[in-house]
Amino acid sequence: MSVSDALDAMRSEISGCSLVAYADLGSRLVLCTSAVSNPGQEQLDALSGAALLALDGALAEGAAAMWDKTATGADMAMLLTNAEARVFLRSPGAAPEALICVCAADADLDKVVDCGQTTLSRILSQSEG
Amino acid sequence: MSEFARLEEKLAKLRHRERAPGEVRKLRGADADALVQALVTEIDETILPRRLTLTAGPVALHLAVANRRLQALLAPTPDIKGAGELADKALPDAEDPAVPALLQVVTRAFSDGHPVEVSAMRLRAQFGSDVGVPANLLARAWNVKPTAPTPKNPGDVLGGYLQEISTDAIAWLRIEGEEVTDQNGPEDRVAALGEQAAVFLDGYFAKFDVLFPTDAKACGTVVSPKDGNSDALLFVEFGEVSAFIAVKPALVADLAGRWQRLVAD
């Protein structure tokens, strides 16, 4: 399954999901997307910027104040508004990559995280294969 | 001194910085009646003591509002007939003659066709929280037709939520305005959460515009650690109330989803 297919599969599985993207946190570049409507570059830049802040930047550093000293960065983050939910999941691979999911504000966030982890595993196995 | 002094000091500092510039918003309404209606909605959404300033061209009205009540017209008053007599006098109830008199002042202020802007500044409690006319009674007294359902009371929503998750959460701090008003969990974990929240807020407010670049209201933020030994942090907010919640990473998505279903549009 290609990265694109994995993102499409995740988006179709989550009700109200408008966009799933795979991003490189190091370069802040979105590598691949699956979206209801073609996202603008500005939107993708904003998402990758937020992913970096949430998983490796200001938010993660703030939360890490009380974490175990071995913890480096966050594994998962969410930015929730009354209009949408944005979920960021770090890839378990060595590369600093992450999955970004934009869905309805009242989406089943447990399911989003589960599907996201499955999608990341698929992407990782594809890149290793 | 409060055991959460550092967190409360941070909240006060950040809120002050947050409110200082650029808080002016447009009050939406095609004519004076619609603007009065929008003002009543604004009052209905104001929990903590605030000085609401309404500017319509050269006219500025200052209102004391708290606890979803209109408390008084504040000085300085505009050059509108009847305004001077109402200044700084608390509205005792909806039947008081000052209530229709104030409507006349407001309507005149809104009648010149200027766009109306509203801003809210913290108001040192000048009147008791039970003083003033509640927004629903004000709407009736001013003959304002309700157009939207009464907004949920943020304090009640948060209180219900914290009660509901108390067995799942490790610890939580409830915050109203700039004060920690309630807490739950083991003493050491609650204290650690207070420290964590103070550090977290620095980054959160510093990068708020990047994290939440649209006009949609921020409701919640989750940060979950990589290692399994640490707790995830869930920060929920609704109007002037918010809470920091420490929770096991495996449960945080569920708790965040339950909050979203309560507050999302």
Side-chain angles (χ1 to χ4, degrees), chain A residues 99-111:
Chain A
L99 190 75
I100 302 169
C101 178
V102 181
C103 47
D106 59 352
D108 181 343
L109 295 176
D110 237 354
K111 186 175 177 183

Side-chain angles (χ1 to χ4, degrees), chain A residues 63 67-68 75-76 80 86, chain B residues 196 211 217 219-220 224 230-231:
Chain A
W67 284 349
D68 190 295
D75 202 38
M76 186 273 286
L80 311 171
R86 284 169 292 155
Chain B
Q196 186 181 28
L211 296 168
K217 285 181 190 162
C219 301
S224 189
S230 302
D231 303 326

Side-chain angles (χ1 to χ4, degrees), chain B residues 15-233:
Chain B
R15 277 186 187 274
H16 177 71
R17 189 177 69 191
E18 185 190 11
R19 290 189 182 284
E23 182 101 34
V24 177
R25 290 167 289 120
K26 192 172 266 186
L27 197 66
R28 296 188 187 282
D31 53 28
D33 289 346
L35 288 164
V36 169
Q37 195 168 328
L39 172 59
V40 173
T41 302
E42 192 77 29
I43 292 164
D44 200 22
E45 291 173 351
T46 304
I47 311 293
L48 295 177
R50 293 285 179 259
R51 181 188 187 94
L52 287 190
T53 297
L54 299 142
T55 311
V59 176
L61 284 176
H62 305 279
L63 301 173
V65 178
N67 196 22
R68 306 170 79 192
R69 293 162 180 261
L70 173 57
Q71 298 187 305
L73 174 68
L74 298 174
T77 54
D79 187 16
I80 293 175
K81 190 184 169 193
E85 292 87 77
L86 297 171
D88 294 329
K89 290 179 187 153
L91 298 172
D93 55 55
E95 317 301 324
D96 192 88
V99 174
L102 183 49
L103 172 62
Q104 288 190 7
V105 172
V106 171
T107 306
R108 282 182 194 136
F110 291 169
S111 294
D112 285 343
H114 291 289
V116 178
E117 291 180 329
V118 60
S119 62
M121 295 294 287
R122 192 177 177 193
L123 183 71
R124 288 279 166 209
Q126 195 167 340
F127 309 102
S129 62
D130 58 344
V131 168
V133 181
N136 58 338
L137 299 182
L138 187 68
R140 203 175 303 162
W142 283 3
N143 198 22
V144 170
K145 289 178 198 159
T147 54
T150 306
K152 296 167 187 169
N153 181 320
D156 292 345
V157 173
L158 182 62
Y161 174 74
L162 291 174
Q163 199 169 13
E164 184 188 311
I165 65 158
S166 59
T167 53
D168 293 328
I170 295 160
W172 54 252
L173 297 174
R174 177 185 170 127
I175 295 159
E176 292 184 34
E178 292 146 20
E179 287 172 17
V180 177
T181 56
D182 201 2
Q183 63 190 69
N184 187 53
E187 202 174 322
D188 59 335
R189 196 59 195 86
V190 166
L193 185 57
E195 289 298 303
Q196 186 181 28
V199 180
F200 173 85
L201 283 177
D202 257 342
Y204 179 79
F205 281 106
K207 300 293 182 187
F208 187 85
D209 292 343
V210 182
L211 296 168
F212 297 99
T214 68
D215 288 339
K217 285 181 190 162
C219 301
T221 305
V222 170
V223 190
S224 189
K226 266 190 197 172
D227 77 301
N229 300 324
S230 302
D231 303 326
L233 180 69

Side-chain angles (χ1 to χ4, degrees), chain A residues 50 54 59 77-81 84-88, chain B residues 211-212 220-222:
Chain A
L59 282 193
M78 296 180 184
L79 298 172
L80 311 171
T81 73
E84 67 179 18
R86 284 169 292 155
V87 178
F88 308 94
Chain B
L211 296 168
F212 297 99
T221 305
V222 170

